[in-house]
Amino acid sequence: MKKCLQHLTFLLLAILALASCDKQEDIDRAYTDYRYDIVTYLEENGTGALFEYLGHGDSAAIKLQSRVSVSEVKAHQRVLLRYDFADKASNADLRNIDVFGCSAIFSDSLRMIMESPDSLPRHQVKLRSMWRTGEFINVHCLVEFTNKSRTFMLVADGKTLDNDTVDCYLTHDLRGERGTFWRDCYASFNVGALWKRQSFKCLRVYLNDVTFPDTEYYDFNK
């Protein structure tokens, strides 16, 4: 009887393990197999939305062809795309993708001021990462939530424009609102006009970061 119970226990465990595997296979790949990238929405064509992906630094651009419509996003706006390659074995410069989510983010070009940078509002953020892809400086951070619009820009100090190192400031203004809980924020800034200048060697970004308060700025070298 004892041996029968042992065999029955092992059989039940095996059945449960198989059931668990079957259940795992039923999970939608949109929740398990995907990438998160900041990309540029280019246009809507006969197939669907077309995006452009740039890797870190000066990597070559890759076109991403989807079968979905994102008509609410403007052409050349930067977006946070959740997707996967339809053909993972391909290395072509045009890839078909399956899109699982597309969210608009702060998308802007580098701005310039001639007055003192001390006048810029620089409300605190919690930096997660900052990186360059081609002519874009991308930011992932946490910001304090409000129910109102805010200002979030990258601004260059015009007085340093002819220097080999150009000082830029992450401008963050809650516009008088009181922040509550922290939430994710993604932003992407086109710095191509500055990056093409012959005298330019380094883009230096200052920010008010509470995650790494001892790090006053980050350099992106040409």
Side-chain angles (χ1 to χ4, degrees), residues 39-215:
V39 301
T40 303
Y41 168 64
L42 296 179
E43 63 178 0
E44 195 89 15
N45 56 30
T47 304
L50 181 67
F51 304 90
E52 183 180 66
Y53 165 81
L54 291 167
H56 280 259
D58 298 306
S59 301
I62 299 175
K63 298 293 192 301
L64 305 176
Q65 179 65 65
S66 75
R67 294 172 294 176
V68 301
S69 173
V70 291
S71 55
E72 68 278 4
V73 180
K74 296 180 180 179
H76 303 295
Q77 184 174 356
R78 300 282 278 170
V79 297
L80 181 64
L81 191 67
R82 188 163 69 91
Y83 69 103
D84 192 20
F85 293 111
D87 180 7
K88 296 183 180 181
S90 173
N91 291 315
D93 55 5
L94 175 62
R95 304 284 299 273
N96 291 317
I97 60 170
D98 296 320
V99 173
F100 308 129
C102 179
S103 303
I105 63 174
F106 283 100
S107 180
D108 197 10
S109 295
L110 177 68
R111 302 179 182 233
M112 185 181 70
I113 61 166
M114 296 305 296
E115 59 265 28
S116 171
D118 294 336
S119 64
L120 294 172
R122 295 169 60 196
H123 192 74
Q124 62 187 10
V125 301
K126 289 185 177 181
L127 185 65
R128 289 293 180 262
S129 58
M130 186 184 301
W131 69 102
R132 181 178 71 87
T133 54
E135 297 181 350
F136 295 95
I137 298 296
N138 308 294
V139 180
H140 175 204
C141 63
L142 299 181
V143 298
E144 293 172 282
F145 174 78
T146 72
N147 285 319
K148 304 293 183 179
S149 298
R150 71 185 66 209
T151 299
F152 202 83
M153 302 184 301
L154 187 63
V155 178
D157 180 357
K159 296 176 182 177
T160 68
L161 200 59
D162 294 325
N163 299 345
D164 58 359
T165 297
V166 177
D167 294 335
C168 300
Y169 297 83
L170 188 64
T171 301
H172 184 206
D173 187 3
L174 298 186
R175 300 180 184 176
E177 295 296 316
R178 183 182 180 87
T180 53
F181 60 90
W182 294 91
R183 64 176 300 175
D184 272 312
C185 172
Y186 290 87
S188 187
F189 306 100
N190 190 317
V191 298
L194 173 62
W195 207 262
K196 293 182 178 75
R197 292 175 66 93
Q198 291 186 352
S199 61
F200 169 79
K201 300 298 182 184
C202 175
L203 188 153
R204 177 165 292 173
V205 180
Y206 291 84
L207 70 161
N208 180 13
D209 177 31
V210 297
T211 305
F212 307 104
D214 294 333
T215 303

